[in-house]
Amino acid sequence: MAVEKEWITAGDVRALFPGRDENAHKGDFGHALLIAGSRGMMGAALLATGAALRSGCGLVTVHVPAGERMAVHIAHPSAIVSLDSSDSCFSVLPEPASRYSAVGAGPGLGQSEETAAALGSLLERGGRMVIDADALNIIAFHPHYLKMIPHDSVLTPHIGELRRLLGAAISASFIKGFRIHGDAVWRSEEERTDMVRALAAAAGSVITVKGFHTMVCFPSGRLRYNPTGNPGMAKGGSGDVLTGFLTGLMARGFTSEDAACAGVYLHGLAGDSAAETAGQESMNASDILHCLHI
C-alpha cells in the first residue's frame, strides 16, 4: 500500500512569517554571504544575489572574482560586494567569517583546482550553508569533502547532481548498505529515496531533490513534498534563484528544515506566477526572480 505524501502547505509557510516589529532594524534579520560566479558565469551569481535580496534578510554580501565585480554593482546596488583576489574564480575565503549568519555556495563557481581547494577550506571552516551546483559537483569529485559538510546545511541537487553525489557517497562508504549497479546508481525511485535519507542522516543536513514535486528530506528521514511549481521552471538559472533565496532565509534565522520547506514552496509559487505572465515555454529564471516575494 502506497504511503501518502506529506505536502508543504501555504499555512505552514505563512506561519513562518509573523510580520516585523515596528522597531526592527537590518541587524535583526541576519547577513547572508553568497560565494558565486566565475568568468563567463556571472549570470548565476546575479540570479542568486537577487533572490537573497528578496528573502527578507538584513544584509547580502556576494563574493565574486575581482574582475567580475561591476556586474553585481550594476545589477544589484543593494548588495555588498566582497572581492576575491582572483580575476576569474573563487580562490580565497572572505573574511571575517563571524560577520555572516549563513553562506550559500555553488552557482556559477566552476570547478577549477583553485576553486576546489577554496571550497574545501570553506567547508572546513564550518557554519550553516546552502550547497548547490558546482559546489556539489566538486564534493562529488572530492569525496573526502563529504565528511566536511557542516551539519544543519541544505544541499539542493537536481537529478544529475544527485546521481554524482550519491555515487561518490556510496563509493567512499560515506553511506553504507548500497551499491552501484553498473551505470545506474539506483534501480528504483524507492531505492533513490532510501539513499537520499541515508545521505541526509550522514551529513546531518537537509537535502532538497529538485524536480516535479521537489522532495525535502530531513536528517531524521522525514520527507515533505512541494505542491507548487511547473515544468516551465526547467530552465537554466532556476536553481540559482532557489539557492540565493534559501541562503537569505537561513541567514535570517530559519532552521534548515523550515528554510528548505518555505524556500521551495515560495520559489515554486513564483514560478507559477511567472508562467501566468510569460507562459511555461517562454518564461525564464529572471521571470521567476521578478515574481519571487514573501
Side-chain angles (χ1 to χ4, degrees):
M1 182 177 178
V3 178
E4 187 175 346
K5 290 181 176 179
E6 182 183 355
W7 298 99
I8 303 165
T9 69
D12 296 332
V13 175
R14 278 196 301 268
L16 296 172
F17 300 94
R20 297 188 172 217
D21 188 281
E22 62 181 12
N23 294 313
H25 59 86
K26 62 187 178 184
D28 294 331
F29 297 99
H31 191 163
L33 171 66
L34 290 168
I35 298 177
S38 58
R39 182 173 294 166
M41 291 295 291
M42 284 303 294
L46 297 181
L47 289 167
T49 302
L53 289 167
R54 288 185 175 264
S55 69
C57 68
L59 292 166
V60 175
T61 290
V62 56
H63 182 82
V64 298
E68 305 294 333
R69 63 188 181 277
M70 288 306 297
V72 183
H73 286 308
I74 292 168
H76 298 300
S78 298
I80 303 165
V81 179
S82 166
L83 299 182
D84 197 280
S85 58
S86 169
D87 278 340
S88 61
C89 69
F90 169 44
S91 66
V92 296
L93 300 188
E95 300 291 348
S98 59
R99 178 183 301 174
Y100 307 109
S101 325
V103 179
L109 274 190
Q111 299 179 50
S112 70
E113 290 184 10
E114 276 184 292
T115 296
L119 179 67
S121 297
L122 180 68
L123 293 171
E124 194 169 34
R125 191 163 77 174
R128 306 173 74 223
M129 290 185 65
V130 179
I131 305 173
D132 182 39
D134 281 328
L136 291 174
N137 291 326
I138 289 171
I139 291 170
F141 287 115
H142 298 78
H144 62 286
Y145 283 4
L146 286 162
K147 295 180 180 179
M148 297 161 61
I149 294 172
H151 282 208
D152 200 28
S153 292
V154 179
L155 283 60
T156 61
H158 59 53
I159 202 69
E161 292 159 349
L162 180 67
R163 186 176 290 111
R164 289 186 284 273
L165 198 61
L166 287 174
I170 293 168
S171 297
S173 297
F174 185 67
I175 58 174
K176 297 178 172 61
F178 304 98
R179 62 187 182 90
I180 299 173
H181 311 279
D183 293 333
V185 176
W186 54 78
R187 293 172 296 183
S188 66
E189 184 175 347
E190 181 180 8
E191 185 175 41
R192 184 187 73 186
T193 299
D194 288 342
M195 290 177 177
V196 172
R197 278 180 157 139
L199 182 58
S205 296
V206 174
I207 300 176
T208 68
V209 181
K210 295 181 292 195
F212 179 60
H213 291 162
T214 289
M215 181 180 78
V216 179
C217 180
F218 296 4
S220 66
R222 181 185 180 189
L223 303 176
R224 302 200 70 190
Y225 293 85
N226 180 43
T228 64
N230 63 82
M233 299 176 73
K235 312 273 175 62
S238 178
D240 303 321
V241 174
L242 178 62
T243 295
F245 194 58
L246 289 174
T247 304
L249 294 178
M250 294 267 282
R252 59 182 290 179
F254 282 30
T255 66
S256 55
E257 290 90 348
D258 286 345
C261 290
V264 299
Y265 186 94
L266 293 169
H267 178 254
L269 208 60
D272 290 338
S273 295
E276 290 178 8
T277 303
Q280 289 188 13
E281 299 295 347
S282 298
M283 63 181 281
N284 59 54
S286 295
D287 297 314
I288 298 171
L289 175 58
H290 179 73
C291 294
L292 185 63
H293 64 272
I294 297 170

